[in-house]
Amino acid sequence: MSKHIEVRPEIYTKIRDFMKKLGADDFIKCFNCGTCTVACPIAEVLGIVPFSRKIIRYIMLGLEEDLVNSKEILLCLHCGECSEYCPKGANPAETMHALKTYIIQNYLLKR
Ligand code: SF4
Ligand code: SF4
């Protein structure tokens, strides 16, 4: 059975505004090609196939709970390989870095 997804535009706007303040809102250029996944060393080693494309989809759909529960964001090495090969200049490495800050500020520090 497929998972029911509730799209949350207000959450997208909240996260996008946070990312913009950090200068990390290039992810809006993403067109979901998956090149970042091929370039990412942890996607290959850990078998996390859609990373980091999947994480950007979570932002676009406002799936905050999925973002917070994504261990991939905390595992990101910030090596920059994904950004190097992204054909749209969407800078997924910077997205991961800013998202880590978002999660730490909004969730981990409040527990
Ligand atoms: S390579 Fe760039 S455009 Fe393609 S899915 Fe990744 S972030 Fe999006
Ligand atoms: S910066 Fe993070 S998401 Fe991008 S290739 Fe490196 S480990 Fe993967």
Side-chain angles (χ1 to χ4, degrees):
M1 192 189 301
S2 59
K3 180 183 169 188
H4 173 74
I5 293 176
E6 185 189 352
V7 177
R8 303 276 307 275
E10 75 283 8
I11 298 292
Y12 163 73
T13 303
K14 182 177 81 162
I15 297 174
R16 185 204 58 202
D17 290 351
F18 180 91
M19 306 286 268
K20 195 169 184 176
K21 279 187 197 151
L22 298 181
D25 58 337
D26 283 335
F27 69 88
I28 60 175
K29 300 176 193 165
C30 173
F31 71 147
N32 207 18
C33 68
T35 306
C36 48
T37 298
V38 179
C40 177
I42 69 164
E44 186 182 351
V45 170
L46 300 179
I48 307 170
V49 177
F51 184 63
S52 53
R53 175 175 60 97
K54 176 181 76 174
I55 301 297
I56 294 175
R57 288 304 105 196
Y58 285 167
I59 302 174
M60 298 294 200
L61 296 171
L63 305 182
E64 192 164 39
E65 198 177 318
D66 289 293
L67 283 170
V68 171
N69 291 323
S70 291
K71 62 182 182 303
E72 297 101 313
I73 297 169
L74 299 178
L75 288 171
C76 173
L77 306 167
H78 306 299
C79 65
E81 285 294 307
C82 50
S83 292
E84 182 75 25
Y85 289 99
C86 174
K88 292 289 280 183
N91 208 348
E94 201 53 45
T95 305
M96 294 309 129
H97 197 218
L99 270 178
K100 196 179 281 185
T101 305
Y102 178 83
I103 290 170
I104 290 170
Q105 280 189 13
N106 290 284
Y107 289 91
L108 300 185
L109 290 179
K110 291 182 179 173
R111 279 184 185 164

